[in-house]
Amino acid sequence: MTTQAISEAQLHALADGVLPEEQRAAIDAHLRAHPDDAARVDAWREQNRQLRALFDPVLDEAVPPALLQATSPAAANGTWQRPAMQAAAAVVLVLAGGMGGWLLRGDGATASASPISLARSAAIAHAVYTPEVRHPVEVGVEQEAHLMQWLSKRLGSKLQPPALSPLGYHLIGGRLLPGDGDGPVAQFMYEDGGGKRLTLYVAKERAGRQETAFRYTQEQDLSVFYWIDGQLGYALSANLPKQELGKIADAVYAQLEQPR
């Protein structure tokens, strides 16, 4: 009897909850025999959960009054906009907020156009890659010299990830993410002894961007400290309380400010 090969598309369909029921028994048997694939499916499910937690609340947000007013009847010429068109415009505006975030997901994350979008892009990249079991980073710390040279060249700035071992976190590696017109983005990932991970997101900023002090935002249980310094924007993300991550952010900032 020949066993049909299980494709990665089928594994993704299982993780996304869209696998046809008639294929379920074969996939379950495959996962019992292949624990690595089972771990990948679990990681994808966790990514989906975190992305939903980050962006589902957007669907419940009220459309800003100014935008609703823009879809109201035009007083200047007395023209009438159909209610259906008004409703459609409102739905598009709401979904644009959510999809704007989705399009910044890890495999298409862009460099920020503003400090808050820097933080949001970093949060999405963190949510996408930290649950990965087999491929959390593109280049591991065992090739740190190559990683630094590669990312520095691509961003056009000398990069050196902060040493966080005194705070219990060690570098496990990094990756290059696509960016917009300002260039690509670098993500460094750290891990503590218990497997908890944090990421430092570094994006090339637009010319003329003024420096910003520390700012903080929170997306569900994900905390992000972010700031812009010269040509680079930084965002430190982790599932940690604000005060705890703030201490780490202080250490990161202090090391980045040291002359190189």
Side-chain angles (χ1 to χ4, degrees):
M1 179 178 177
T2 302
T3 303
Q4 183 177 2
I6 301 300
S7 69
E8 185 160 319
Q10 289 174 296
L11 297 180
H12 276 290
L14 176 64
D16 294 340
V18 295
L19 182 74
E21 190 60 35
E22 61 270 17
Q23 299 181 23
R24 184 63 185 259
I27 300 296
D28 287 345
H30 173 83
L31 295 182
R32 287 193 295 271
H34 299 81
D36 285 351
D37 281 347
R40 292 169 65 200
V41 171
D42 287 342
W44 293 335
R45 283 173 171 157
E46 176 61 17
Q47 289 175 7
N48 290 341
R49 185 196 69 77
Q50 293 195 35
L51 288 170
R52 285 194 297 270
L54 283 171
F55 300 114
D56 280 0
V58 174
L59 299 177
D60 298 324
E61 293 180 1
V63 179
L67 295 177
L68 285 176
Q69 185 177 1
T71 64
S72 64
N77 55 18
T79 59
W80 178 74
Q81 298 288 337
R82 289 176 296 173
M85 292 299 292
Q86 292 180 333
V91 169
V92 169
L93 289 170
V94 173
L95 290 180
M99 291 305 293
W102 171 245
L103 291 175
L104 295 179
R105 66 193 188 279
D107 59 351
T110 65
S112 64
S114 67
I116 189 61
S117 63
L118 167 70
R120 187 171 294 118
S121 299
I124 297 165
H126 179 94
V128 169
Y129 288 110
T130 54
E132 283 286 347
V133 177
R134 299 175 65 182
H135 305 290
V137 296
E138 193 170 1
V139 179
V141 70
E142 64 277 2
Q143 301 180 61
E144 184 174 358
H146 164 66
L147 176 66
M148 296 308 103
Q149 183 179 16
W150 174 48
L151 294 181
S152 296
K153 181 178 179 180
R154 294 304 303 273
L155 268 71
S157 297
K158 184 177 180 181
L159 302 181
Q160 184 62 46
L164 301 181
S165 53
L167 297 170
Y169 287 86
H170 63 276
L171 181 71
I172 62 174
R175 66 172 62 244
L176 187 73
L177 301 176
D180 61 11
D182 294 325
V185 174
Q187 183 194 59
F188 297 104
M189 190 176 297
Y190 295 79
E191 188 174 76
D192 70 3
K196 182 171 292 186
R197 291 171 173 173
L198 60 82
T199 56
L200 178 63
Y201 185 92
V202 186
K204 192 82 171 181
E205 287 298 321
R206 285 178 170 80
R209 175 76 62 194
Q210 294 184 352
E211 295 185 6
T212 66
F214 269 166
R215 297 186 186 183
Y216 173 80
T217 188
Q218 187 170 4
E219 300 283 355
Q220 299 295 319
D221 56 351
L222 181 63
S223 297
V224 184
F225 276 94
Y226 59 103
W227 66 97
I228 295 173
D229 187 0
Q231 296 183 339
L232 298 176
Y234 301 92
L236 187 70
S237 309
N239 292 86
L240 292 173
K242 178 180 179 181
Q243 184 175 5
E244 185 175 348
L245 185 62
K247 293 179 180 179
I248 300 174
D250 286 339
V252 169
Y253 183 81
Q255 292 187 51
L256 292 174
E257 284 298 289
Q258 293 177 359
R260 296 173 188 149

